[in-house]
Amino acid sequence: MKKRLKVASLFMTAGLLAACGNSEETTTAPKKEKTEQTSETKTNAGIAATTLKDELTIFSSIKAELDKAKEGQAIDWKMVQTSYDSKLKGGVTTAAPEIDEVISSALAGVESKDLDENVARQLVDKGIQSYFYKLQKSTQATAEKAVAAGKTDEATAALSDIQDMSETVFIPTAEKRDASYGFKNEDSIGQAINSGLTAQEEAITAKNIADFNIAKQLTDKSIYRSFYLAALGYAQKIEDGVKAGTDEKELQMEQAEGYGFLLAIEESLAGGDEEAVATLKERYDFSKTKPADVKFKEIESLFAKALTEKIDGYHEETQEALEKKDIDTARVEAMEANMFVIAMKPTLENRLGKETAQTVLADASAWYALVEKGDLKAEKTGDQITDALEPLN
């Protein structure tokens, strides 16, 4: 019998066990992840007439050029346009045409002088990051299929691509969230991403598809957590900026940043609540909503509504799998559910209070332990979690 992944250590890294003392395990899951994975697998065509290395190199060059604005230097927009068109546009258009539309519109707006440069640079930067997130999803699917087929070399190559994307794109963004939210050690998103990658590598070597799928969720949902908290955080910055009398163009730039990060996860969020996501997009769209009308409490509520719906869905799917004695599927579904609970920790503390938040996290850990054992009594503990989250829905 193959040795199972040390899930407890993964949960410790994800910040759930650390929040609960020495509880056993933790999990994470969104409501309609299966449909997400199916639709996002289509992004396999992501790299068009170039290599991932080329794309990442060009992204770094574009980002460095855009970041000149932080030092008061002029951006060479022709360089940005040419670089994007030559090495990235093909892949972005294939993987996520709606993201290409945002990026291309931003570049066109700068050229026609109809769009503020700072707004445009955020849409381009975050738009490309969102593309890489979608490409990561499809690459994970490729790796999963390879592990299932026993093709270790193919799985390792796919994971190497994910590691490259993480190093260039996801870890730097995660580290910014860690700094802004004060996440350290077990709470660190960057650490969770890296731990997930290491666990995936170990699962590939062991040819253990179930453990790979669990580790995959730690990596993917930690990146997701980073993007979600980034978008949420900008809502607070905008509201605070309005109160402080910050220039409206700077606030619109922050709306654009929130919008850009939302692009990566909107399809997933819509699996929980389409209406909430439509409203989120409208609030971050500076052409439709003035900064003064962006309210953190509303934004937080909209995110929470979509995420709790997803958590509810994964709890249902976990119990169904348990009843069929499909423990491996139940473990993955439970892992996904709990990763969303971890992501919502700041909101749980804001809305439910720290004590209740700690209880939810502890219950999530206990719930996974029961799921791991195939214990049908997991349903009772799971109900405690979903009942506690009900006020957020």
Side-chain angles (χ1 to χ4, degrees):
M1 183 175 181
K2 295 180 180 177
K3 184 178 179 181
R4 279 186 174 175
L5 192 68
K6 295 180 179 179
V7 180
S9 64
L10 294 188
F11 290 148
M12 183 71 77
T13 301
L16 198 150
L17 290 183
C20 318
N22 293 319
S23 307
E24 291 191 13
E25 291 154 13
T26 305
T27 49
T28 305
K31 179 166 187 177
K32 296 182 181 177
E33 190 69 17
K34 285 186 171 60
T35 57
E36 288 171 33
Q37 291 171 345
T38 299
S39 62
E40 291 183 14
T41 299
K42 292 186 294 186
T43 65
N44 255 332
I47 301 176
T50 188
T51 66
L52 176 63
K53 183 177 180 180
D54 288 337
E55 291 193 318
L56 291 171
T57 298
I58 286 296
F59 168 69
S60 295
S61 297
I62 289 175
K63 186 165 179 59
E65 186 63 34
L66 296 175
D67 284 349
K68 286 182 179 180
K70 297 178 181 179
E71 308 299 326
Q73 301 177 37
I75 296 173
D76 184 348
W77 285 102
K78 184 175 181 181
M79 172 270 185
V80 174
Q81 179 82 65
T82 301
S83 297
Y84 176 72
D85 288 347
S86 65
K87 294 293 185 180
L88 279 165
K89 186 178 178 66
V92 179
T93 301
T94 301
E98 72 281 3
I99 292 179
D100 172 66
E101 184 177 346
V102 170
I103 295 170
S104 296
S105 296
L107 292 171
V110 168
E111 185 176 7
S112 65
K113 301 188 184 305
D114 292 329
L115 187 63
D116 180 80
E117 289 194 13
N118 280 317
V119 171
R121 71 183 177 88
Q122 296 301 341
L123 291 173
V124 173
D125 176 15
K126 275 56 180 188
I128 297 174
Q129 288 193 48
S130 291
Y131 157 65
F132 280 119
Y133 178 70
K134 288 180 176 289
L135 185 58
Q136 178 264 159
K137 294 280 286 186
S138 67
T139 308
Q140 290 279 17
T142 298
E144 179 185 347
K145 290 178 182 177
V147 176
K151 299 179 179 179
T152 302
D153 289 346
E154 289 184 19
T156 299
L159 182 63
S160 179
D161 284 346
I162 297 167
Q163 290 169 328
D164 288 344
M165 283 186 271
S166 295
E167 181 179 345
T168 302
V169 184
F170 308 134
I171 298 295
T173 293
E175 289 176 343
K176 289 181 180 179
R177 301 291 78 74
D178 285 341
S180 62
Y181 283 88
F183 294 152
K184 297 179 181 179
N185 303 320
E186 295 87 354
D187 284 330
S188 167
I189 304 174
Q191 182 175 317
I193 294 170
N194 279 322
S195 294
L197 292 169
T198 298
Q200 284 182 260
E201 190 171 12
E202 292 172 354
I204 290 172
T205 300
K207 297 182 179 180
N208 190 319
I209 185 63
D211 283 357
F212 177 84
N213 285 334
I214 289 173
K216 178 182 74 172
Q217 296 307 328
L218 177 59
T219 301
D220 177 60
K221 297 310 179 295
S222 293
I223 299 169
Y224 188 114
R225 177 186 174 203
S226 177
F227 282 27
Y228 151 62
L229 290 177
L232 178 62
Y234 280 112
Q236 186 68 69
K237 288 182 179 180
I238 293 165
E239 184 170 347
D240 291 345
V242 170
K243 293 176 181 177
T246 303
D247 182 76
E248 185 161 296
K249 286 187 177 181
E250 183 174 339
L251 297 175
Q252 288 180 335
M253 178 185 73
E254 292 177 343
Q255 279 182 276
E257 291 191 78
Y259 189 91
F261 281 120
L262 182 61
L263 285 174
I265 61 175
E266 66 167 309
E267 182 179 358
S268 166
L269 284 169
D273 191 303
E274 292 184 9
E275 187 176 341
V277 175
T279 304
L280 281 169
K281 290 188 73 174
E282 185 174 289
R283 296 295 184 267
Y284 283 115
D285 187 341
F286 60 88
S287 71
K288 297 179 180 178
T289 303
K290 294 181 179 180
D293 294 324
V294 175
K295 303 300 181 184
F296 175 75
K297 188 173 182 179
E298 180 194 27
I299 297 294
E300 185 180 47
S301 294
L302 291 167
F303 272 119
K305 184 173 177 56
L307 290 173
T308 52
E309 281 288 339
K310 294 179 73 62
I311 292 168
D312 286 351
Y314 280 115
H315 272 258
E316 292 173 6
E317 291 168 6
T318 298
Q319 192 61 30
E320 289 173 6
L322 285 177
E323 290 171 359
K324 295 176 182 177
K325 301 187 184 305
D326 184 354
I327 308 305
D328 286 339
T329 296
R331 292 165 67 210
V332 174
E333 299 290 344
M335 180 66 170
E336 293 190 79
N338 278 9
M339 286 300 294
F340 282 111
V341 172
I342 293 169
M344 290 180 67
K345 183 180 175 182
T347 291
L348 299 182
E349 293 180 343
N350 287 343
R351 295 300 180 90
L352 305 179
K354 289 189 176 182
E355 184 176 343
T356 299
Q358 293 293 85
T359 298
V360 171
L361 291 167
D363 284 346
S365 180
W367 177 61
Y368 189 91
L370 292 169
V371 170
E372 178 103 88
K373 296 173 185 176
D375 192 335
L376 292 176
K377 294 177 183 177
E379 184 174 21
K380 182 178 179 181
T381 305
D383 287 345
Q384 292 173 196
I385 298 167
T386 55
D387 287 349
L389 297 178
E390 183 61 29
L392 303 178
N393 191 351

